[in-house]
Amino acid sequence: MASNTVPALQPASLARRLTVIMAVTGLFLAAVLLLAPLVGSTRISLPAAFAGQSPDAQIYFGVRWPRAILAALAGGALALSGALFQALLRDALATPYTLGVSSGASLGAVLAISFRWGSVAGVPMVWIAAMAGAMLTLALVAGVAVEGRRMSSFTLLLAGVTINSIVMSVIMVLHNLASVGQSFAIVHWLMGGVEPLSAPALAALAAVVLPISAAVCWKAREWNLLAVGEEWATARGVSPRRLLMMGYLAGSLLTATVTSVTGPIGFVGLIVPHALRLKTGADHRLLMPASFLAGAAFLVLCDTAARTAMSVEIPVSVVTALVGGPFFIALLRSRRKSLWL
């Protein structure tokens, strides 16, 4: 169960702690983004890359750095969404995929692959269909959960789990009917992965992820109130229904946007907020910006391991599960009193 208290920090103390946390996580992310692209099957020199000398500059800026930026945007969005959903649902095990957004995106992508939809204006239909599937699933879940003028978090959670099961059953049927080539493409997408994007595609992704993430962090005080309880939020002049709708929409948009490009990548939205909560506490004014920066660095490191740990590249979701699963189990055993359990 969620804790019913969020520590109150004085403005001076909050500003000081926020500055320290942002500086530490921001510098760590900057170092990871700078150094991770140097690691790979081909050794390159950082001075040579910045001097524009080929092939170092081509490999660094043309292939590895865009991939690292994509991993950072995806990791930051998933970690922030995880922290947001845990606050909204007051459930320590809530993830960005709790409401079925991932399964809806997966169904859209599988439909695009199965029916061989190409692209529209240069944008792959797999991305478009995945985004549409995620949004339709969210609308369906929200429609089930709205009760009059209220939105039940418990009903929302149950609806998400149920619709997720139904959608995954449809995906299995489509997979069973697919050809060998389509089957391979479906499995490849469902495993999740980070691949280099063009500069315009990265810019478009950043144009969605960064403003929504900033807005979520800006509303951190309201998420604190909701994390305590809807009655507590109402008593302090906040409309729980409006804020819940805003939070679910923002978190789902972040998750759907990232998932439509990378496929489902698990554990980032669960592990990162939990680990940081042990250091920052439950105050979302500290937790949320730290989750975005730390989640970005975490996925960049996992992707670096995914492409270098073996002779063949493995999906980054495999690395996040192998790292995140044991870590989370150890976290539960050693710090169970510090978590919302």
Side-chain angles (χ1 to χ4, degrees):
M1 299 292 293
S3 171
N4 288 325
T5 60
V6 176
L9 296 176
Q10 296 299 320
S13 175
L14 173 67
R16 183 167 58 253
R17 290 191 62 191
L18 182 61
T19 300
V20 172
I21 290 171
M22 293 291 286
V24 172
T25 53
L27 288 174
F28 180 61
L29 174 59
V32 168
L33 286 174
L34 184 67
L35 300 177
L38 297 177
V39 181
S41 57
T42 302
R43 291 183 175 273
I44 60 176
S45 165
L46 187 61
F50 275 89
Q53 300 175 11
S54 296
D56 293 40
Q58 183 177 0
I59 295 174
Y60 187 90
F61 291 108
V63 179
R64 294 181 185 171
W65 204 66
R67 178 167 177 159
I69 294 296
L70 173 58
L73 289 171
L78 292 175
L80 179 59
S81 297
L84 177 59
F85 281 129
Q86 288 164 19
L88 296 176
L89 295 170
R90 297 189 291 280
D91 186 342
L93 298 180
T95 74
Y97 302 134
T98 297
L99 302 185
V101 173
S102 173
S103 60
S106 298
L107 178 57
V110 169
L111 285 171
I113 294 170
S114 299
F115 291 99
R116 296 183 173 88
W117 296 338
S119 61
V120 175
V123 180
M125 274 301 300
V126 170
W127 296 1
I128 298 174
M131 174 65 78
M135 291 296 98
L136 287 174
T137 302
L138 174 65
L140 181 59
V141 171
V144 172
V146 172
E147 301 173 356
R149 296 181 60 85
R150 295 189 59 193
M151 172 177 282
S152 170
S153 296
F154 180 70
T155 306
L156 193 76
L157 187 60
L158 290 180
V161 172
T162 303
I163 292 174
N164 177 74
S165 300
I166 296 172
V167 170
M168 291 308 297
S169 298
V170 176
I171 290 174
M172 285 190 287
V173 171
L174 292 172
H175 186 205
N176 187 60
L177 298 175
S179 65
V180 174
Q182 291 172 334
S183 178
F184 176 82
I186 289 171
V187 172
H188 179 75
W189 196 91
L190 290 176
M191 292 183 73
V194 177
E195 298 177 358
L197 293 182
S198 64
L202 272 178
L205 182 64
V208 175
V209 168
L210 296 180
I212 296 177
S213 298
V216 169
C217 293
W218 182 259
K219 302 289 272 185
R221 175 184 172 275
E222 283 82 356
W223 310 136
N224 279 344
L225 297 176
L226 276 181
V228 175
E230 293 184 22
E231 294 80 6
W232 181 271
T234 302
R236 280 148 183 80
V238 174
S239 169
R241 184 175 184 273
R242 181 183 61 82
L243 202 58
L244 283 169
M245 289 286 289
M246 184 187 307
Y248 290 133
L249 181 60
S252 298
L253 275 174
L254 284 175
T255 305
T257 302
V258 168
T259 305
S260 67
V261 176
T262 65
I265 299 175
F267 276 100
V268 179
L270 180 64
I271 292 300
V272 174
H274 270 299
L276 287 173
R277 193 175 286 112
L278 298 177
K279 298 296 182 183
T280 67
D283 194 331
H284 291 89
R285 293 173 293 180
L286 303 174
L287 178 63
M288 286 185 162
S291 292
F292 183 88
L293 295 175
F298 174 73
L299 194 57
V300 173
L301 291 174
C302 288
D303 182 57
T304 303
R307 62 181 174 81
T308 60
M310 301 178 65
S311 57
V312 294
E313 182 176 324
I314 59 176
V316 68
S317 58
V318 174
V319 178
T320 58
L322 290 175
V323 173
F327 176 78
F328 188 61
I329 292 174
L331 202 62
L332 288 176
R333 290 181 60 86
S334 63
R335 299 296 183 91
R336 64 183 65 181
K337 291 183 179 179
S338 299
L339 296 170
W340 295 348
L341 296 174

